[in-house]
Amino acid sequence: MSAYKKMLVAIDLTEEAPQVLNKAKAISSAHGAELMLVHVVEPVGYAYGGDIPMDLTELQDQLDKAAKEQLAKYGDEYGVAKEDQVVTVGRPESEIHRLAKEQDVDLVIVGSHGRKGFQLLLGSTANGVLHGTECDVLAVRIQ
Ligand code: AMP
């Protein structure tokens, strides 16, 4: 019996994303598990705190569109079905928690810029995902 059946990979769309995707692909293939990708677009209003009296809808739509296009490229490259490529808007940790539960995934995979030294801390998003996700979480070390 396979330990993991459905894996959710959190992708930040930086040049580091392939490191996380390569590991996730290898692990999902070894387990014969389904792979799902998620990118969370942060609301532009967060950045401006509502201080600027302007309609940010168009900008938000453009960010969503660009994220979907980039995620689709990764989907093609890594053989992930269209319906398993998810772009949502919100706080990354909260959205990843929500989706992991909603989609009944059994492993969440994130990248981590772990810091060295006596305080072995995970990066902030990886840490936020770990605290609050009910299933296993794998932090892939970013080189
Ligand atoms: P960070 O804490 O920003 O260094 O990000 C660490 C990891 O969290 C990344 O490698 C991704 O796996 C995940 N992550 C960060 N931001 C996002 C995002 N907006 N959407 C999805 N995953 C993210």
Side-chain angles (χ1 to χ4, degrees):
M1 197 187 112
S2 147
Y4 298 117
K5 293 192 176 68
K6 195 167 183 179
M7 303 178 180
L8 178 66
V9 192
I11 297 301
D12 62 7
L13 303 182
T14 65
E15 67 282 359
E16 292 167 348
Q19 289 186 46
V20 182
L21 281 161
N22 286 337
K23 262 300 169 52
K25 182 70 187 174
I27 296 167
S28 69
S29 299
H31 283 255
E34 182 184 342
L35 208 55
M36 178 171 242
L37 310 182
V38 61
H39 175 71
V40 185
V41 180
E42 299 199 43
V44 276
Y46 281 11
Y48 297 105
D51 292 343
I52 302 173
M54 62 190 273
D55 186 4
L56 298 170
T57 317
E58 202 174 315
L59 179 57
Q60 187 74 59
D61 288 348
Q62 281 173 10
L63 289 174
D64 291 359
K65 188 167 171 274
K68 281 183 182 138
E69 285 169 5
Q70 184 57 46
L71 206 65
K73 281 188 194 153
Y74 283 135
D76 285 349
E77 196 177 331
Y78 288 87
V80 178
K82 197 90 201 145
E83 62 272 19
D84 289 330
Q85 302 167 14
V86 181
V87 172
T88 64
V89 179
R91 279 189 54 233
E93 295 90 326
S94 316
E95 284 300 294
I96 293 163
H97 291 156
R98 183 187 62 75
L99 200 64
K101 198 166 184 177
E102 204 177 278
Q103 294 290 328
D104 204 19
V105 305
D106 38 30
L107 182 69
V108 175
I109 303 175
V110 291
S112 170
H113 295 99
R115 290 159 222 163
K116 294 193 181 110
F118 65 91
Q119 268 188 311
L120 283 169
L121 296 171
L122 292 170
S124 61
T125 309
N127 198 36
V129 169
L130 183 61
H131 294 100
T133 300
E134 287 171 16
C135 66
D136 291 357
V137 177
L138 173 70
V140 174
R141 180 75 74 226
I142 302 288
Q143 301 300 330

